[in-house]
Amino acid sequence: MSLPRDRQALLGLSLCFLLLPVLAFGDCTCEGDSPDQENSHGALSYKLGAIACILIGGTLGVCLPILGKAVPALSPGSDLFFMVKAFAAGVILATGYIHVFPDAYESLTSPCLTSEVWGSFPFAGFIAMMAAIATLQVDMIATSHYTRRQLKEAASLGGAKNKDTEAGGANAADNDVKLSIHHVHGPAAAPPDSSASSLEILRHKVVSQVLEVGIVVHSVIIGISLGASQSTSTIRPLIAALTFHQFFEGMGLGGCITQANFKSRAVIVMALFFSLTTPVGIGIGIGVSNTYNENSPTALIIQGILNSASAGILVYMALVDLLAADFMSPRMLNSGKLQVLANASLLIGAGFMSLLAKWA
């Protein structure tokens, strides 16, 4: 039995209105993917390839500046090293602004978060701001602590030398001469630049350790996201993008480690820790891929908070401890050529890392 045409048109129009909410919200789903078995096996092979590629890329990136100390052109005092550090600082700055913070904002404003609290306040920006302030406090407290300790050691050393000078003189004239020399040159027998050099090395140690924390937090999160994904079309472009991502970030971290003059054991531990974080994150993602839902409220909140904190740390470190320290140094200010080259390297690094956001 066929319906009249006017009733058919009315029925079709009614169905359109009934299906309109489904079509409007069809792209916004909070359920996890349910891939078929064949797609899972294909995705697993890509994930294993991603572990190898990202491990190699990250290791090369962090080791190049460290091994470059043996090359005079890449020594920490050379113009080329300034350019490499500016490039790496641009990479880290773009990572914080272009890669990490947008992901954090998207997670904490997702419609999958049922609580209205997360949508009523810009938590992503607030957490990033507080992380930057906390990084400043850690930077200040660590530097002041070690500075006071060095001053106490210098004072105790100067007091001991003063006693030895007074007790070891053969006569009063010799004592007067030695005491006058002591007053002219100060209580410590170190060269005038030694304290400044020690303080600068200390700053580089603090910078490299805090910077690694910010990078590692983000690296673990992107590793878990890649490992939990079951879409080969999503994983394929991420392999190349994340390999370059880790390579460039490794260069920035490696440059800071080089200037910090760590012992060999500490350098190896820091380099391995950075190189392994994303592959380990991918492994964790593979292990929980059957139960992990990146759109669940718990996962979104954890990812959003950690990414927000990571963004604040990376932006602070790039602007304050890397760019400001080098761009305001006397060597940079007294060389117009170096200023042009360093600024060009900064823009190239930030541009390349921003371009990678198209795929990762």
Side-chain angles (χ1 to χ4, degrees), residues 84-163:
V84 170
K85 275 196 68 180
F87 178 88
V91 167
I92 294 171
L93 187 63
T95 299
Y97 275 124
I98 307 299
H99 291 259
V100 186
F101 186 77
D103 289 345
Y105 182 82
E106 183 180 0
S107 296
L108 295 180
T109 57
S110 172
C112 299
L113 294 177
T114 56
S115 176
E116 296 181 358
V117 175
W118 297 100
S120 61
F121 185 80
F123 280 99
F126 177 76
I127 295 171
M129 177 187 70
M130 296 306 297
I133 295 175
T135 306
L136 171 64
Q137 300 301 317
V138 171
D139 207 351
M140 178 190 67
I141 292 172
T143 304
S144 62
H145 169 72
Y146 287 110
T147 301
R148 287 195 301 268
R149 192 173 74 176
Q150 284 187 342
L151 290 176
K152 288 180 180 179
E153 291 176 355
S156 62
L157 181 63
K161 286 178 179 282
N162 189 17
K163 290 180 180 180

Side-chain angles (χ1 to χ4, degrees), residues 194-223:
S194 63
S195 59
S197 177
S198 299
L199 183 60
E200 185 177 359
I201 292 174
L202 171 64
R203 290 280 301 123
H204 288 308
K205 288 183 177 180
V206 175
V207 167
S208 59
Q209 291 171 345
V210 177
L211 178 61
E212 180 154 20
V213 170
I215 292 176
V216 161
V217 170
H218 170 58
S219 298
V220 171
I221 293 175
I222 60 176

Side-chain angles (χ1 to χ4, degrees), residues 223-359:
I224 293 175
S225 299
L226 189 151
S229 176
Q230 299 290 1
S231 173
T232 55
S233 60
T234 300
I235 297 173
R236 273 197 300 264
L238 282 177
I239 295 175
L242 292 180
T243 300
F244 284 105
H245 183 280
Q246 292 300 103
F247 176 79
F248 291 141
E249 280 190 345
M251 289 183 63
L253 180 61
C256 294
I257 293 174
T258 301
Q259 289 185 300
N261 287 343
F262 284 111
K263 295 181 179 179
S264 299
R265 182 179 178 181
V267 171
I268 293 173
V269 170
M270 293 183 71
L272 283 176
F273 194 59
F274 165 78
S275 303
L276 293 174
T277 47
T278 302
V280 168
I282 296 175
I284 295 173
I286 293 173
V288 301
S289 59
N290 292 329
T291 57
Y292 178 77
N293 178 15
E294 63 179 4
N295 291 323
S296 68
T298 302
L300 288 170
I301 292 172
I302 293 175
Q303 289 178 14
I305 291 175
L306 292 179
N307 273 333
S308 298
S310 177
I313 292 172
L314 293 177
V315 170
Y316 172 87
M317 300 301 292
L319 290 176
V320 177
D321 286 328
L322 297 180
L323 291 176
D326 286 345
F327 278 57
M328 296 301 168
S329 64
R331 178 168 184 174
M332 182 76 73
L333 297 177
N334 293 328
S335 175
K337 177 183 176 182
L338 185 57
Q339 290 178 26
V340 172
L341 294 175
N343 279 282
S345 299
L346 169 64
L347 293 176
I348 292 172
F352 278 172
M353 203 62 184
S354 300
L355 184 63
L356 285 179
K358 181 176 175 63
W359 300 279

